[in-house]
Amino acid sequence: RLVNNMMALSTSLDAARVHVSPVETLAGWVDQWGEMAARMGLDLEPWLPAVTGSLDGRRVAIAPQLVNEGEFFAELSLYFRPHREIGLRIYQQTEPNGYRSVGQDIQVKHPEFDDAFVIKGYDHKVIIKTLTESVRRELLAINALAPIEVEDRGLHVSNLPMDPAQLEPLVQRACAIAEGLGW
């Protein structure tokens, strides 16, 4: 009974929150994000605001992220279609001499890419083959604007500008990465 009551409460809260307005700081983004959602064929959740949906069979979510006090940035999550997992994990290189200081780090023999990211996976040959030139180019382009993390399930980028004119091309780049991976 407790679990059923908790589920009922959760469902009620979820239904009620769609009637709540976003915080004043975010209210100005609702119309612009709604237009962006419409252009991309996604849904707007105006109470957050957030943009959610599916692009070519991949679940996408763009939502505001509170950083510091009252300052918002956007974060993008794109989830890959089902595929064979290869243990892929890519994240921004922040350590000096990351190759030696972060444990296993797969080098793809592309100096700019190897310097920018720590790359991990089950089989280095499979990872190197998977990270094609086009995938590396798109990852570097996004990483130049904000830190990106990739794993077998999807990719996540935080600290993005809230402006749809900057977000839309990033979503296209994220989809290009997924397409290039074949996921």
Side-chain angles (χ1 to χ4, degrees), residues 149-167:
E149 293 182 17
V150 181
E151 59 180 15
D152 279 333
R153 292 177 294 172
L155 63 81
H156 182 81
V157 190
S158 55
N159 298 323
L160 293 169
M162 296 284 290
D163 181 10
Q166 292 177 288
L167 284 172

Side-chain angles (χ1 to χ4, degrees), residues 1-9:
R1 203 170 82 204
L2 174 63
V3 171
N4 287 340
N5 286 339
M6 289 172 64
M7 291 297 292
L9 174 62

Side-chain angles (χ1 to χ4, degrees), residues 33-34 36-38 40 42-45 48-53 60-64:
W33 278 33
M36 174 178 65
M40 295 185 346
L42 298 171
D43 299 318
L44 174 69
E45 299 181 31
L48 295 173
V51 174
T52 61
V60 177
I62 305 168

Side-chain angles (χ1 to χ4, degrees), residues 47-113:
W47 57 93
L48 295 173
V51 174
T52 61
S54 180
L55 292 172
D56 197 25
R58 299 177 184 99
R59 190 166 49 102
V60 177
I62 305 168
Q65 167 191 29
L66 180 62
V67 179
N68 302 324
E69 293 184 29
E71 187 176 8
F72 287 92
F73 289 89
E75 59 183 5
L76 163 66
S77 295
L78 181 130
Y79 299 91
F80 300 134
R81 293 183 291 214
H83 63 279
R84 183 178 73 95
E85 292 192 6
I86 60 173
L88 181 64
R89 183 148 185 259
I90 301 173
Y91 55 93
Q92 194 173 46
Q93 176 65 262
T94 57
E95 299 287 327
N97 192 7
Y99 180 71
R100 290 178 176 66
S101 63
V102 297
Q104 174 209 21
D105 183 16
I106 298 167
Q107 303 286 290
V108 297
K109 307 293 187 249
H110 181 272
E112 182 183 6
F113 192 82

Side-chain angles (χ1 to χ4, degrees), residues 118-144:
V118 174
I119 309 155
K120 297 181 182 270
Y122 298 149
D123 181 335
H124 72 281
K125 291 178 184 174
V126 171
I127 298 297
I128 291 168
K129 184 178 177 182
T130 302
L131 296 175
T132 63
E133 177 63 35
S134 65
V135 169
R136 293 192 309 263
R137 183 178 52 250
E138 296 297 346
L139 285 165
L140 284 168
I142 292 176
N143 196 60

